[in-house]
Amino acid sequence: MTRLDRYAVFGHPIKHSKSPRIHRLFAEQTGQTLEYTTQDVPAEQFQSAVNSFFAGGGKGLNCTVPLKELAWNCADRKTERAQLSKAVNTLALQADGSLLGDNTDGIGLVTDLIANHAIVLSGSRLLILGAGGASRGIIAPILEQSPHTLVIANRTVDKAVKLAAEFDNDNSIAGCGFEALKNRQFDLILNATSASLSGQLPPLPTGLLAKNGVCYDLAYGNEPTAFVRWGQENHALKSLDGLGMLVEQAAEAFFIWRGVRPKTRPVIELLNSERKP
Ligand code: ATR
C-alpha cells in the first residue's frame, strides 16, 4: 500500500495550531491526497526531528515559533525572501533530496492586506511595531509595494534602528522608539510585537492613526487582541487580526509543495465564522 504524501507543522507549543485544518481544507478543495499533522518539537530536538521526518518519507514541513530561525539554518538552499527574513517557515523536499527553505509569512500578510482587504500600501505611511523575527519577516515584501514611508518602532530602540538600516536603500525606512512617534500619523499600523499575545500593548500616543487608517495585528485569537481593540478605540476604518495572513501564508506553502494554488477566501470565511459567538 502506498502511503499518503506526508506534511507537518513543527512548533512548541503546537497543540492549538490551525495549520492542519487549513491544509486539509486546501487538500479537499483541490482534490489532493495528503496527510498533515502537528508535532511538538522543542528547539533542542529540532534537527533530529527534521532528519527523522524526511528520512521517514516526509515531503514538506512548516516551522513556527520558536523554530523559524533554526529552520533557516537547516535549509540547504533558501529563496531570496527567506534569505532576507533570516527565518524559514516552509521546508520543501527537492527531487535531489535537498531541502529548500522559504518564508511565506510576508507574502501572506501582503496578500491578505491587498487582495482580501483592499488596503493600499503603495504611497502610504506605514508603521511596524516591534523589531523581532516577526517584523523582519514582513519588511521586504512590504517595501516591494513602495510605501511612502515605513517606520519600525521598538521598545529596544537600537534593534529598530539596526533592522531598518539592514533594509534601507532610499531613506524610506527608519527605526525609532515609541517616544519618537509623538505627533506622527500613519495610514496603516502593523503590530508585530509579541505583546499582544499576553494582552499587552506598546505605549502608543493618541492621534497616531490617521483618519480612515487601518490597524493590523499579526497575532490572532478567538477574541479580539489588545491591539485590535486599540484600533477599534482609535476609530480605525478596519482593525484586523492575523487570521487572514495565517491562511494566506499556508496557501503559499501549499503551492510550493503541491504546485496548486488553493482558494483562500472560503477557508478564511469558515474559520472566521467559527470564532464568532
Ligand atoms: P517574534 O519572533 O514574535 O518577533 P521576538 O523576536 O522575541 O519574537 O520579538 C518580540 C518583539 O516584541 C520585540 O520587538 C519586543 O521588543 P524588544 O525588542 O524591546 O524586546 C516586542 N515586545 C515584546 N513584549 C513587548 C511589550 N510588552 N511592549 C512592547 N514591545 C514588546
Side-chain angles (χ1 to χ4, degrees):
M1 198 178 84
T2 46
R3 273 201 77 165
L4 295 180
D5 284 351
R6 287 176 61 210
Y7 299 88
V9 56
F10 285 5
H12 185 68
I14 199 65
K15 211 166 86 202
H16 298 293
S17 170
K18 292 189 193 294
S19 294
R21 179 95 194 284
I22 294 170
H23 282 281
R24 283 173 207 151
L25 287 166
F26 287 163
E28 209 175 286
Q29 184 205 103
T30 57
Q32 300 273 307
T33 37
L34 55 86
E35 171 188 298
Y36 189 108
T37 54
T38 58
Q39 198 172 319
D40 196 309
V41 179
E44 55 280 10
Q45 289 164 22
F46 180 70
Q47 191 61 59
S48 62
V50 169
N51 293 346
S52 22
F53 179 78
F54 286 106
K59 299 277 189 210
L61 271 184
N62 282 136
C63 299
T64 185
V65 181
L67 307 172
K68 293 182 190 181
E69 284 79 12
L70 292 173
W72 192 83
N73 282 324
C74 93
D76 299 306
R77 203 161 50 78
K78 290 173 272 273
T79 60
E80 197 187 336
R81 61 194 181 191
Q83 287 287 4
L84 288 168
S85 64
K86 294 195 179 152
V88 156
N89 76 340
T90 304
L91 287 168
L93 185 68
Q94 305 296 285
D96 63 0
S98 65
L99 284 182
L100 174 70
D102 200 351
N103 190 335
T104 64
D105 286 333
I107 187 67
L109 169 71
V110 169
T111 303
D112 192 39
L113 288 167
I114 296 176
N116 298 338
H117 297 290
I119 294 164
V120 178
L121 302 185
S122 165
S124 296
R125 298 163 295 174
L126 311 186
L127 170 64
I128 296 178
L129 307 173
S135 306
R136 179 186 288 281
I138 62 173
I139 292 172
I142 285 180
L143 284 176
E144 270 177 30
Q145 298 300 317
S146 309
H148 177 270
T149 38
L150 176 59
V151 172
I152 302 167
N154 197 45
R155 180 172 60 183
T156 312
V157 181
D158 193 39
K159 271 170 70 179
V161 172
K162 282 197 178 127
L163 187 57
E166 269 186 57
F167 289 86
D168 192 18
N169 52 13
D170 61 359
N171 293 325
S172 64
I173 173 166
C176 65
F178 297 120
E179 272 290 303
L181 296 176
K182 273 186 192 143
N183 304 318
R184 296 201 64 174
Q185 278 209 320
F186 296 90
D187 305 302
L188 171 64
I189 308 177
L190 298 150
N191 181 33
T193 70
S194 49
S196 208
L197 293 171
S198 49
Q200 290 177 306
L201 265 186
L204 302 175
T206 46
L208 186 65
L209 188 65
K211 192 165 185 282
N212 292 327
V214 171
C215 288
Y216 193 106
D217 198 336
L218 270 61
Y220 65 89
N222 279 328
E223 305 287 323
T225 65
F227 182 68
V228 167
R229 288 200 304 276
W230 183 89
Q232 291 162 346
E233 285 154 18
N234 284 269
H235 313 291
L237 182 67
K238 294 179 183 189
S239 194
L240 307 161
D241 75 7
L243 185 74
M245 173 181 173
L246 177 78
V247 175
E248 294 296 346
Q249 65 76 29
E252 284 293 327
F254 192 91
F255 178 68
I256 291 163
W257 293 329
R258 309 296 300 181
V260 182
R261 205 169 272 286
K263 288 196 185 74
T264 50
R265 200 159 289 222
V267 176
I268 294 172
E269 278 169 10
L270 179 68
L271 296 181
N272 255 328
S273 71
E274 288 175 353
R275 62 184 180 161
K276 279 181 190 141

